[in-house]
């Protein structure tokens, strides 16, 4: 469970070697404020829920800013 606030940009690292930055040595599941003007020009595979740089997520499932979201990683 997580909340995204205005301009928020974070992620969950997966499939990374222990001790290395998952954003560069693994995969990152993007957590992002899709409504922020600063991210208006992002690619689909950079949006919230995407496997960053690899696979885009379907949009429209993110709760409004500040509200709780639930994400399951299988």
């Amino acid at each position: 469970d997580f909340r995204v606030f205005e301009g928020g940009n974070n992620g969950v690292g997966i499939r990374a070697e222990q001790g290395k930055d998952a954003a560069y040595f693994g995969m990152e599941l993007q957590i992002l404020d899709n409504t922020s003007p600063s991210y208006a020009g992002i690619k689909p595979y950079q949006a919230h829920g995407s496997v960053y740089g690899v696979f885009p997520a379907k949009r429209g499932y993110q709760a409004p800013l500040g509200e709780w979201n639930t994400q399951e990683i299988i």
Side-chain angles (χ1 to χ4, degrees):
D1 294 329
F2 62 93
R3 294 187 291 178
V4 177
F5 294 96
E6 188 174 334
N9 184 347
N10 211 321
V12 175
I14 62 170
R15 297 184 180 177
E17 188 177 332
Q18 181 125 5
K20 292 191 176 182
D21 188 335
Y24 301 99
F25 297 97
M27 296 177 146
E28 180 182 0
L29 305 178
Q30 183 71 314
I31 298 175
L32 183 78
D33 170 12
N34 281 339
T35 66
S36 175
S38 56
Y39 305 124
I42 63 173
K43 306 275 189 241
Y45 56 76
Q46 295 173 306
H48 174 79
S50 298
V51 178
Y52 188 87
V54 178
F55 190 82
K58 292 181 181 178
R59 292 188 177 203
Y61 296 97
Q62 186 177 15
L65 295 178
E67 292 187 14
W68 286 98
N69 291 268
T70 298
Q71 180 171 320
E72 182 178 7
I73 302 167
I74 299 174

